[in-house]
Amino acid sequence: MAKADRDSGNGEASGLDMLRDEFVDYLGAQVEHLADKAGDRLADLTDQLLDAADGGGPLPGGGILKTIVSGKAKGIKDSVLGKAKDALGGGGGGRKSGGGKSMNIVEVMDVGVPRRTAYDHWTQYEEFSTFTKGVRSVSKNDETTSDWKLKVGPSTRGWKATVQEQVPDERIIWTSEGAKGTTRGCVSFHEVTPDLTRIVLVVEYYPSGFFEKTGNIWRAQGRRLRLDFKHFQRHVSFADEEVEGWRGEIRDGEVVRSHEEALEEEEAEYDEEAEGEEPPDEEARDDEEARDDEEGDEEEYEDEYEDEYEDAK
């Protein structure tokens, strides 16, 4: 009955209801804005904590730092936002939580193996779950796409990855999409010496959802990726056998050279190099034989001269 009184004769909401809805949306936006600002402050304080821990200096923040480390600050933030949304009837309804700040991860490490060896191991995505902690499983759909199950905090997230560019022994560029965020990444391989390779990993992570943004603030994803990067270093350094990596080439998300074609080209190049290492030609061999004959004649002449000299004496 109350609802009927609020509605006008043509079924549309009254002006008062529309004003109330707009006010609810406005308050919901303000709450999220305040939560983001509070999260940025927590991020800054967390960075200070990490810097102090690395440098061995005093820990800033006193009592509030203990609250942050124990995780209570996160619980307070979740509770405040949750209660505000409940009081406002769910907030802005169709508001999207994505499109926030990105998390940038840049890691560099040296591996004591040739560049091709490091690259070939990296292309074995299905093996990542055997030596990393964050990768639960990987299944390749085709030469450009794969499905990943990753551990993010206490939960498991699904991602669909697409390789946008891949050049053997040089770089791999990819994008991925999931229910809780998107990523862009690039890994490149650089030869320092024939037996030392530098790997540069750059990832942009765009979280979607309040929980994921909180995880972003706490740098959980970055810590996990950094640790798994070190696990890859250890795995490659102690690998007993060489692996056959995917040697194809991808440009703009399309395969421009398949794995089989790349192997055939490499084999052809190897054969050409082998043919280039031919023995000396006939003329060179003749010159060498002529020099040997001259040396033999000189030795024979010296022997005859010595014999004549002895007879004369």
Side-chain angles (χ1 to χ4, degrees):
M1 182 65 181
K3 180 179 180 181
D5 292 337
R6 288 196 303 265
D7 293 342
S8 62
N10 59 2
E12 297 179 353
S14 66
L16 181 60
D17 291 335
M18 295 176 63
L19 180 60
R20 185 196 62 184
D21 292 340
E22 291 296 330
F23 181 68
V24 167
D25 290 345
Y26 171 76
L27 290 182
Q30 292 301 313
V31 169
E32 289 197 13
H33 177 68
L34 292 175
D36 288 339
K37 292 183 64 176
D40 291 340
R41 295 192 184 98
L42 291 175
D44 294 339
L45 191 53
T46 302
D47 291 339
Q48 294 179 25
L49 170 62
L50 295 176
D51 293 340
D54 292 338
L59 297 178
I64 189 172
L65 179 59
K66 296 179 181 179
T67 303
I68 292 174
V69 174
S70 64
K72 291 183 180 179
K74 175 182 175 298
I76 293 172
K77 183 178 177 181
D78 288 344
S79 177
V80 169
L81 186 60
K83 290 180 179 179
K85 288 186 176 181
D86 291 340
L88 297 173
R95 289 178 54 83
K96 294 182 179 179
S97 56
K101 296 181 179 179
S102 67
M103 177 182 180
N104 300 313
I105 305 169
V106 180
E107 292 294 326
V108 180
M109 72 164 48
D110 293 339
V111 183
V113 297
R115 181 168 68 164
R116 175 164 183 153
T117 300
Y119 171 85
D120 286 347
H121 276 280
W122 190 278
T123 62
Q124 303 300 301
Y125 306 135
E126 295 92 341
E127 300 297 322
F128 277 27
S129 61
T130 63
F131 59 85
T132 63
K133 301 295 184 181
V135 181
R136 294 292 179 85
S137 65
V138 181
S139 59
K140 292 188 66 174
N141 301 323
D142 51 41
E143 293 177 325
T144 60
T145 62
S146 55
D147 293 324
W148 296 64
K149 297 292 185 182
L150 305 178
K151 185 177 184 297
V152 180
S155 305
T156 299
R157 298 283 188 256
W159 304 79
K160 184 178 182 63
T162 302
V163 177
Q164 303 296 338
E165 182 177 342
Q166 184 164 348
V167 181
D169 303 331
E170 292 187 17
R171 63 186 176 276
I172 302 173
I173 301 175
W174 75 92
T175 58
S176 67
E177 296 183 358
K180 297 298 182 179
T182 60
T183 66
R184 294 193 306 169
C186 175
V187 58
S188 57
F189 304 84
H190 311 267
E191 181 180 289
V192 181
T193 69
D195 293 323
L196 182 64
T197 302
R198 178 160 297 164
I199 305 176
V200 180
L201 179 64
V202 181
V203 177
E204 288 183 350
Y205 173 54
Y206 297 85
S208 176
F210 183 76
F211 175 80
E212 299 295 331
K213 288 183 178 180
T214 304
N216 179 19
I217 291 171
W218 288 99
R219 307 297 193 266
Q221 294 86 350
R223 288 197 297 271
R224 171 49 59 199
L225 187 146
R226 188 175 301 112
L227 290 174
D228 282 346
F229 199 22
K230 292 182 179 180
H231 285 312
F232 176 80
Q233 181 187 41
R234 174 185 54 81
H235 172 74
V236 174
S237 299
F238 294 102
D240 296 329
E241 300 178 357
E242 294 186 359
V243 299
E244 180 179 317
W246 194 79
R247 307 297 301 175
E249 186 172 343
I250 299 173
R251 301 282 185 177
D252 296 327
E254 299 290 338
V255 178
V256 297
R257 183 175 58 173
S258 67
H259 174 70
E260 292 73 17
E261 291 172 344
L263 292 181
E264 290 177 0
E265 292 180 9
E266 289 181 356
E267 185 176 355
E269 292 176 358
Y270 177 80
D271 292 340
E272 289 179 1
E273 292 178 356
E275 291 176 0
E277 298 177 357
E278 296 179 351
D281 55 20
E282 293 294 335
E283 184 177 352
R285 284 198 294 269
D286 292 341
D287 292 341
E288 186 175 354
E289 292 176 357
R291 286 194 298 270
D292 292 341
D293 292 340
E294 290 177 359
E295 292 176 357
D297 292 341
E298 291 177 356
E299 292 177 356
E300 183 177 354
Y301 174 79
E302 290 177 356
D303 292 340
E304 292 179 356
Y305 179 80
E306 290 180 357
D307 292 341
E308 292 178 358
Y309 180 77
E310 294 292 334
D311 292 342
K313 290 172 65 178

